[in-house]
Amino acid sequence: MSASSAASRPAAMLGLSIREVSQALRDGRVSATELCRKCINQIQRTRYLNAFITITEETAMEQAQRTDSRLRTGKKGIPFSVKDNFCMENIETPCASGMLKGYVPPFNATVVQKLLDQGAVLVGKTNLVEFAMGAGSTDGVFGPVRNPWSYTSLYREQSTEDPDSDWAITGGSSGGSAAAVASLSSFLALGSDTGGSTRNPGSLCGVVALKPTYGLLSRHGLIPLVNSMDVPGIMTRSVHDAATVLRILQGRDERDSTTVQAPSTPPRLPEHFDIRDICVGIPKEYHAPGLSKDTLAQWSRVADMFEQAGARVQEVSLPHTQHSIVCYHVLCCCEVASNMARFDGLEYGHCSKVDSSTDAMYATTRHEVFNSVVRRRILSGNYFLLKSNYERYFVKAQQMRRLIAEDFKNVFRTGIDVLLTPTTLSDAARYSDFIQEDNRTRSAQEDVFTQPVNMAGLPAVTVPTALSHRGLPIGLQLIGQTLQDWKLLTVAQWMEQKVNFPMIHLHGESNERELNRSVRERTHTIGS
Amino acid sequence: LGPVMLDFSVPIRRWVMCRQFQCHQLFISWALLSSLPQMVGVVGLEIHAQIQSTSKLFSGSHVRFLAPPNSLVSHFDASLPGTLPVLNRRCVEAAVLTGLALNCTINRKSLFDRKHYFYADMPAGYQITQQRVPIAVNGMLVYSYFEGRRRNQVVTKSVKIKQIQLEQDSGKSLHDDERSQTLIDLNRAGVGLMELVMEPEMCCGEEAAAAVRELQLILQALGTCQANMAEGQLRVDANVSVHRPGEPLGVRTEVKNINSVRHLAKAIDYEIQRQMEVLQSAGKVLNETRAFDSKSGNTIPMRDKEGLQDYRFMPEPNLPPLFVYESEASVPAGVDPAQVVVIDRLSGQLPELPSVKRTRLVETYGILQEHSFTLVNEDGLIDYFENVVQTTKAEPRKVIGWVIKELMGNLNSQNLNVSQSPISPCALAELISLVESGHISSSTAKQVFQEMWKAPEKTVGQIVKEQDLWMINDKEELQKICKRIVDSHPEEVQIIRGGNKKVLNKLMGEVQRETKGRTDPVQIRAILEKMVS
């Protein structure tokens, strides 16, 4: 295939899975340099999505050229992108906050290093909400991320407004990563998942998004939100790819004391396995208010699919799930208050010019750059942690957290292998609708199905299932047992093969130039 | 022995006397004023001991005193976002060893917590400590001090150790008043500390000082802390209150900024007296932090950290519970015993502790108990002493006099430590042997000792020969000398013969002067007695 013909049909090469494109690289059908160039071009073409904070064009091209000159096999030359809350040596990592504007970490996050060690090529750092706090990818300092599916023909044909005012959100907080994978700019992207931040945008953007078991992947180099729940997330366009990446990233890291030894995993997911051996649980509490008709229909359809194929499908109960969000709110705020205490302007990051006293400098430094969401969480967290409140809030929330985790254990003890649930209440909201409510309300609504999993540290994956009547993706979530990530992905792959989710086709390129202008200033391109 | 125990022989003796006098005065005046029982001081200590380790508690940075500023700072120490703590096994082992030496119960499972407060030399905005479940609890420290007019009666007491917890040290702020700047050095940030909390069971500065001195010796013997207060390896804060026995404890103050054992005793006694005076004049003792001012010997209120601090403790989410195991057999399957802390293994490594050493010295060598304290207190002195004992036939009880009086006297006056002594144990043994064998007199030997000190390159024999100090053992010569003295002192001889034998001593003195002390007094006395009788 010549370079020019590939460029005219980006999806031809960029739409492949990691497995397929690795084969193409090995066969010499495409070089790492060509592939990298195609991704960079695709990023530029879809800049209106605002998926990237930094495009690492120069280093990416150099890395790709080095890969080509060595001609090695493996995952060499696969372009990937990383959520901007992972530290990378010599690459500015603002974490969508004014606090870390200009901050260049001196080390690589372990998970990023592992991908680089495999020869994968980093094309950019993706957009998020400030410090990953929120479910919309709408309120970071670099502006909101747009859902690529709201730029497909199907969505545009239904819309009466112009593409710059009527578009859907990506969900969050890893919205940039989801958009990058969905818009074919990257074959894989790393996100992070604290309450659903990988699965939520994964579902709304129609990609496979895996939140592994807590402790299976290193958090070293991940700027923390809630240490006891944060997990690096994996976003790809197929379950098989997610398994491949999981295999590379998993395992103990001596720099993260909460990591565990990975169970031994075969080189690839089994192509054929007997679904009749599997027992699927349907938690009745997940029939939540606000669940959209489309999503409910997909949930039923897939449950039936399992049943018809001979899997045992049964209703289960997770009685404490309903309290999960409020407990999460307490625990999250407490850890945020604590984790954010380091941002005092002294060692790195933003520093106020006010220097009348050390305390005044701290106060203004923090006030000047933290947005209202961050500030609110810090204030609440410090309130919950006061000596007089600690028992009433933090301890209670921890106790409830244990009960929520017990619920899952009890269900799995009855022989359930995986739980099937919706990932989100509905397909992606229109941006203009979404911002009618504040961040706190949205987080509470959006995380309802994803968040209990983080409380219990379990693995979960969202698989794109179908398009809604608006032409936007709907995903369903599978939840597995601790350290049974591989089994979870095996079932997810079976489901993926059955549901037949369509490939994205972005609407014509006529409006792109105008859209690009609105986001160009906010994106920082290294070496261009 | 108070003075020897506390390192600073002369000044502290004076001070101890003076303090006792003051207290005495005070007690009398209260007794007159009221019929209530006398008020007493109550002292508890909080001690931060810097763990002797090559790297920090949660990072791989090196630990070194007086390194160039900010040269020992890892990404974690500077609290870069995304960095995580990794526990240093050596620090845990040091805490367990210390716990075992102080008769603590070692918690098989302990937990880490975050203690929040903003401070420029604490980059994360919190300190990782062990607030809820510390590594060791319920220990006891046995210590002794000396009482009596000659301060040679040993009093032995004990104080309960409530807990030992592992925690991070902070960095250092250096204030440049001229440019009104504060400079921050993070070299110390994250160094491992053991915080030891002692129950309020002591009553005065002397007890607290003795307890801390004993703790220093134990930590140094274990090698878990260098325990030098002046270098900040051991930081002692005192909680002080006063009450009448039988009544609830009074409001306490916390006294900080104490950089020697001597100052500790001084600060506590000042504070006890101050509080008593406040209460006597119907005032109220405030619950506050006070700093000891070594120049005036007073404690003064420290600038309050804006009222009550709420540290907003919470569990440290990045560190799993810390497990230590009883024995290798109790290490669970799948865990490498070499990678975990095993109590049995550490118990086997416990060295001889100071109290055991002292008992052994007293029993083995028959020396006085107070001397055993001096031997144990000085680094290297036991080895020195035992070396001398082994190389000479002299009684250990004679050797100890030389070691404590001559050797330590000279070392102290020149501010040297034992390893810097110009006189080797061998040389001292040789000198003592010459006295034992009657080749030189003991008064000459003291003179020779000073010469040896000045000229360590010379042998004992050389000095004795050069200065012509060999003992005169020749009977005839001694007779001649005595004759000369008797002849030149006819009046004295007359008095002696008249019955006043005491005057014989004058004649003996004359002989000693004539011979520069190179004679045996017993022999001379015998000859003189014969001549004047």
Side-chain angles (χ1 to χ4, degrees):
Chain A
M1 186 185 297
S2 77
S4 62
S5 70
S8 61
R9 289 185 296 118
M13 187 58 75
L14 294 180
L16 298 180
S17 68
I18 293 177
R19 178 161 53 166
E20 291 157 346
V21 84
S22 292
Q23 194 57 51
L25 282 162
R26 275 197 296 272
D27 295 349
R29 278 182 280 142
V30 66
S31 71
T33 320
E34 283 166 351
L35 194 61
C36 181
R37 173 48 59 202
K38 281 182 208 293
C39 281
I40 302 276
N41 288 347
Q42 181 71 353
I43 292 170
Q44 302 292 6
R45 247 197 312 274
T46 57
R47 257 174 115 162
Y48 55 88
L49 297 175
N50 199 23
F52 285 83
I53 289 177
T54 305
I55 302 161
T56 52
E57 181 171 347
E58 198 172 286
T59 51
M61 289 307 292
E62 279 171 19
Q63 207 194 335
Q65 278 156 16
R66 276 202 305 276
T67 306
D68 280 336
S69 64
R70 283 189 206 139
L71 292 169
R72 284 196 208 138
T73 54
K75 299 294 160 259
K76 304 281 182 222
I78 306 289
F80 74 105
S81 46
V82 174
K83 187 178 182 179
D84 200 44
N85 57 352
F86 286 92
C87 294
M88 291 202 59
E89 197 176 350
N90 296 329
I91 297 176
E92 187 184 333
T93 303
C95 207
S97 174
M99 182 55 88
L100 288 178
K101 206 163 175 212
Y103 172 66
V104 180
F107 64 96
N108 281 336
T110 299
V111 284
V112 176
Q113 189 61 51
K114 282 185 167 184
L115 288 174
L116 293 174
D117 290 346
Q118 289 287 320
V121 174
L122 179 88
V123 292
K125 305 277 307 277
T126 60
N127 202 352
L128 66 157
V129 285
E130 183 164 347
F131 287 110
M133 294 182 204
S137 298
T138 51
D139 39 17
V141 288
F142 298 96
V145 189
R146 300 176 181 194
N147 193 322
W149 288 88
S150 50
Y151 293 92
T152 57
S153 311
L154 197 53
Y155 187 92
R156 296 262 58 100
E157 279 158 14
Q158 293 180 51
S159 173
T160 52
E161 291 169 54
D162 74 272
D164 210 12
S165 58
D166 179 9
W167 48 273
I169 61 158
T170 54
S173 62
S174 314
S177 287
V181 175
S183 64
L184 316 183
S185 298
S186 289
F187 290 87
L188 88 101
L190 294 182
S192 62
D193 196 313
T194 310
S197 281
T198 294
R199 288 160 289 154
N200 175 292
S203 170
L204 300 187
C205 294
V207 301
V208 174
L210 169 68
K211 174 231 171 276
T213 299
Y214 180 83
L216 193 56
L217 267 60
S218 170
R219 292 180 292 115
H220 170 73
L222 168 62
I223 297 175
L225 175 58
V226 183
N227 299 284
S228 64
M229 299 185 210
D230 291 345
V231 183
I234 298 168
M235 293 172 159
T236 54
R237 285 190 298 269
S238 79
V239 175
H240 185 278
D241 286 356
T244 305
V245 177
L246 175 68
R247 222 167 157 273
I248 292 167
L249 299 184
Q250 68 184 1
R252 237 189 84 73
D253 177 12
E254 59 177 23
R255 282 164 297 190
D256 177 357
S257 307
T258 62
T259 51
V260 295
Q261 195 69 47
S264 66
T265 33
R268 53 180 58 215
L269 290 175
E271 295 285 341
H272 304 286
F273 89 111
D274 198 342
I275 195 68
R276 286 172 300 181
D277 296 338
I278 293 296
C279 188
V280 180
I282 309 288
K284 61 178 180 191
E285 288 81 3
Y286 281 59
H287 286 274
L291 184 63
S292 78
K293 263 190 197 162
D294 281 351
T295 307
L296 181 59
Q298 286 307 316
W299 192 13
S300 308
R301 175 188 151 223
V302 174
D304 290 346
M305 214 179 260
F306 273 109
E307 200 158 32
Q308 279 154 20
R312 196 150 56 89
V313 177
Q314 77 184 57
E315 189 183 79
V316 296
S317 175
L318 299 165
H320 296 97
T321 283
Q322 53 179 317
H323 306 298
S324 194
I325 285 290
V326 66
C327 291
Y328 173 75
H329 182 65
V330 171
L331 297 175
C332 173
C333 289
C334 290
E335 286 206 33
V336 164
S338 178
N339 290 333
M340 294 288 142
R342 71 191 57 216
F343 298 110
D344 56 15
L346 286 181
E347 280 80 17
Y348 45 81
H350 175 76
C351 184
S352 165
K353 290 200 167 59
V354 173
D355 61 355
S356 54
S357 76
T358 314
D359 286 347
M361 191 197 70
Y362 288 160
T364 46
T365 293
R366 293 162 68 80
H367 187 86
E368 279 166 10
V369 284
F370 284 149
N371 72 11
S372 60
V373 177
V374 178
R375 293 217 300 262
R376 210 169 292 159
R377 290 197 189 184
I378 291 173
L379 274 174
S380 315
N382 279 325
Y383 175 77
F384 297 141
L385 288 176
L386 286 176
K387 204 173 175 188
S388 52
N389 292 338
Y390 185 75
E391 290 283 329
R392 259 169 49 215
Y393 295 101
F394 190 84
V395 173
K396 277 275 176 302
Q398 289 279 55
Q399 288 167 340
M400 189 53 73
R401 180 178 185 175
R402 195 172 312 135
L403 291 173
I404 291 163
E406 283 297 321
D407 276 359
F408 282 109
K409 270 189 202 150
N410 291 337
V411 163
F412 287 125
R413 209 172 285 142
T414 63
I416 299 288
D417 296 293
V418 292
L419 297 169
L420 176 68
T421 78
T423 312
T424 53
L425 286 165
S426 65
D427 57 0
R430 253 171 71 137
Y431 176 70
S432 49
D433 293 336
F434 186 83
I435 57 171
Q436 298 302 311
E437 295 278 5
D438 70 8
N439 179 295
R440 160 102 179 81
T441 312
R442 285 301 184 202
S443 298
Q445 291 167 347
E446 298 298 320
D447 290 345
V448 63
F449 299 135
T450 47
Q451 198 284 318
V453 168
N454 297 77
M455 287 286 219
L458 303 173
V461 61
T462 180
V463 178
T465 311
L467 295 179
S468 68
H469 68 277
R470 294 162 66 215
L472 296 176
I474 292 170
L476 290 179
Q477 174 179 241
L478 289 168
I479 303 169
Q481 299 179 59
T482 301
L483 292 174
Q484 302 268 336
D485 303 58
W486 206 253
K487 184 185 196 177
L488 172 74
L489 290 175
T490 306
V491 178
Q493 184 174 247
W494 181 89
M495 179 175 137
E496 176 187 50
Q497 286 161 356
K498 297 286 176 280
V499 294
N500 220 356
F501 184 74
M503 181 69 157
I504 193 167
H505 292 292
L506 292 175
H507 192 57
E509 300 179 14
S510 55
N511 296 321
E512 281 169 23
R513 199 157 297 157
E514 209 169 310
L515 286 164
N516 274 329
R517 204 179 307 134
S518 63
V519 289
R520 190 160 297 150
E521 254 83 89
R522 296 192 291 262
T523 313
H524 171 140
T525 304
I526 293 179
S528 71
Chain B
L1 192 101
V4 186
M5 276 191 65
L6 302 180
D7 279 348
F8 299 89
S9 36
V10 179
I12 200 155
R13 188 196 300 267
R14 255 191 235 130
W15 164 76
V16 168
M17 307 273 282
C18 157
R19 180 185 63 81
Q20 282 176 336
F21 176 68
Q22 284 174 353
C23 287
H24 186 60
Q25 290 265 300
L26 221 57
F27 286 136
I28 290 173
S29 60
W30 296 331
L32 290 173
L33 282 168
S34 87
S35 55
L36 288 166
Q38 290 170 354
M39 269 197 254
V40 293
V42 177
V43 181
L45 300 178
E46 279 179 28
I47 300 176
H48 288 89
Q50 219 174 56
I51 297 171
Q52 201 177 330
S53 157
T54 51
S55 57
K56 295 186 181 179
L57 182 57
F58 297 120
S59 80
S61 312
H62 284 275
V63 177
R64 203 152 21 96
F65 188 61
L66 291 177
N70 295 311
S71 61
L72 308 173
V73 186
S74 71
H75 300 154
F76 174 78
D77 304 330
S79 79
L80 297 193
T83 54
L84 299 166
V86 179
L87 184 58
N88 179 348
R89 181 153 43 88
R90 157 70 200 162
C91 293
V92 179
E93 287 173 343
V96 171
L97 269 173
T98 306
L100 291 172
L102 295 174
N103 314 296
C104 291
T105 304
I106 307 296
N107 279 325
R108 301 299 184 265
K109 177 184 171 184
S110 60
L111 302 170
F112 289 97
D113 304 283
R114 290 182 180 181
K115 177 183 182 179
H116 298 90
Y117 55 99
F118 280 106
Y119 210 79
D121 51 27
M122 205 181 53
Y126 56 82
Q127 175 197 35
I128 304 179
T129 179
Q130 294 195 300
Q131 192 236 357
R132 290 166 300 162
V133 188
I135 184 132
V137 293
N138 299 333
M140 190 198 277
L141 172 68
V142 179
Y143 63 94
S144 302
Y145 58 97
F146 289 79
E147 269 187 359
R149 207 164 51 84
R150 294 182 52 219
R151 306 200 61 75
N152 57 0
Q153 282 168 264
V154 181
V155 180
T156 299
K157 294 206 170 176
S158 67
V159 57
K160 285 201 225 38
I161 311 273
K162 185 170 172 253
Q163 64 187 59
I164 301 177
Q165 64 198 46
L166 282 165
E167 61 184 34
Q168 296 172 298
D169 208 340
S170 63
K172 280 182 185 165
S173 296
L174 309 158
H175 302 285
D176 180 347
D177 289 334
E178 240 166 68
R179 289 184 216 170
S180 72
Q181 274 185 335
T182 299
L183 303 168
I184 298 164
D185 178 5
L186 295 181
N187 281 352
R188 203 182 67 177
V191 169
L193 293 178
M194 294 179 276
E195 183 182 329
L196 291 93
V197 183
M198 290 184 191
E199 297 286 3
E201 295 174 336
M202 290 168 285
C203 69
C204 63
E206 185 171 23
E207 285 192 3
V212 168
R213 187 70 192 104
E214 185 68 9
L215 178 68
Q216 284 179 312
L217 291 171
I218 291 172
L219 295 175
Q220 285 160 351
L222 296 171
T224 56
C225 173
Q226 288 175 311
N228 184 334
M229 283 182 78
E231 287 184 7
Q233 291 142 355
L234 198 75
R235 278 161 259 158
V236 183
D237 299 336
N239 291 318
V240 179
S241 65
V242 297
H243 76 149
R244 292 179 208 283
E247 289 181 3
L249 292 180
V251 175
R252 64 173 205 192
T253 60
E254 188 179 8
V255 185
K256 289 177 177 281
N257 197 32
I258 302 169
N259 61 11
S260 74
V261 173
R262 188 162 65 98
H263 287 164
L264 172 68
K266 208 169 175 179
I268 289 171
D269 288 325
Y270 175 86
E271 184 58 19
I272 289 174
Q273 197 185 329
R274 185 191 69 84
Q275 291 187 13
M276 285 178 175
E277 280 166 11
V278 166
L279 295 174
Q280 285 302 314
S281 55
K284 265 190 177 171
V285 175
L286 300 175
N287 177 221
E288 62 182 353
T289 304
R290 299 176 69 90
F292 177 67
D293 174 30
S294 57
K295 277 189 196 130
S296 65
N298 297 350
T299 66
I300 41 180
M302 279 173 89
R303 203 159 53 93
D304 208 12
K305 289 177 192 166
E306 287 160 34
L308 195 68
Q309 276 272 338
D310 192 319
Y311 292 118
R312 293 159 283 128
F313 283 101
M314 69 166 227
E316 166 56 65
N318 293 321
L319 289 166
L322 165 58
F323 288 99
V324 297
Y325 301 97
E326 186 69 46
S327 62
E328 301 231 337
S330 57
V331 177
V335 177
D336 178 2
Q339 295 298 314
V340 295
V341 176
V342 177
I343 295 173
D344 278 1
R345 210 158 55 200
L346 292 171
S347 308
Q349 287 172 22
L350 278 176
E352 189 179 38
L353 293 177
S355 58
V356 180
K357 250 183 209 159
R358 285 189 286 258
T359 311
R360 177 174 65 83
L361 290 167
V362 169
E363 283 170 2
T364 314
Y365 301 110
I367 60 172
L368 291 174
Q369 209 177 359
E370 58 198 90
H371 289 157
S372 72
F373 275 86
T374 313
L375 285 182
V376 171
N377 281 1
E378 288 302 323
D379 193 26
L381 195 58
I382 296 179
D383 282 350
Y384 192 104
F385 167 73
E386 292 191 317
N387 244 321
V388 178
V389 168
Q390 276 157 24
T391 346
T392 167
K393 280 179 187 145
E395 283 278 304
R397 297 183 68 134
K398 284 188 179 160
V399 174
I400 193 77
W402 280 96
V403 167
I404 293 204
K405 245 179 118 193
E406 264 63 41
L407 178 72
M408 285 312 296
N410 276 27
L411 289 174
N412 282 343
S413 68
Q414 295 184 25
N415 217 358
L416 299 175
N417 52 44
V418 177
S419 64
Q420 292 168 306
S421 164
I423 299 178
S424 69
C426 266
L428 181 58
E430 212 180 326
L431 180 66
I432 297 172
S433 296
L434 287 179
V435 179
E436 281 297 297
S437 59
H439 285 91
I440 56 172
S441 71
S442 54
S443 58
T444 307
K446 281 175 190 158
Q447 208 181 314
V448 175
F449 184 91
Q450 297 306 333
E451 293 300 322
M452 288 162 74
W453 195 273
K454 279 182 249 166
E457 70 284 357
K458 291 185 186 165
T459 65
V460 182
Q462 266 176 319
I463 293 171
V464 175
K465 198 176 168 197
E466 272 172 27
Q467 310 217 353
D468 192 19
L469 294 172
W470 292 115
M471 194 85 127
I472 305 165
N473 285 326
D474 180 43
K475 278 259 165 73
E476 252 173 59
E477 196 178 346
L478 289 173
Q479 287 279 356
K480 253 189 242 169
I481 297 164
C482 288
K483 182 85 178 32
R484 216 160 44 229
I485 297 297
V486 167
D487 290 350
S488 58
H489 292 81
E491 273 177 41
E492 282 81 357
V493 173
Q494 206 56 44
I495 296 169
I496 296 165
R497 284 183 179 149
N500 191 346
K501 298 276 183 195
K502 274 188 189 167
V503 179
L504 191 71
N505 289 339
K506 190 177 176 192
L507 296 184
M508 283 183 64
E510 290 298 324
V511 175
Q512 287 291 18
R513 192 178 313 149
E514 175 108 8
T515 60
K516 291 180 195 151
R518 290 184 295 141
T519 52
D520 174 16
V522 181
Q523 254 182 53
I524 296 296
R525 176 174 278 271
I527 296 169
L528 287 174
E529 272 176 349
K530 220 173 178 182
M531 282 183 175
V532 297
S533 63

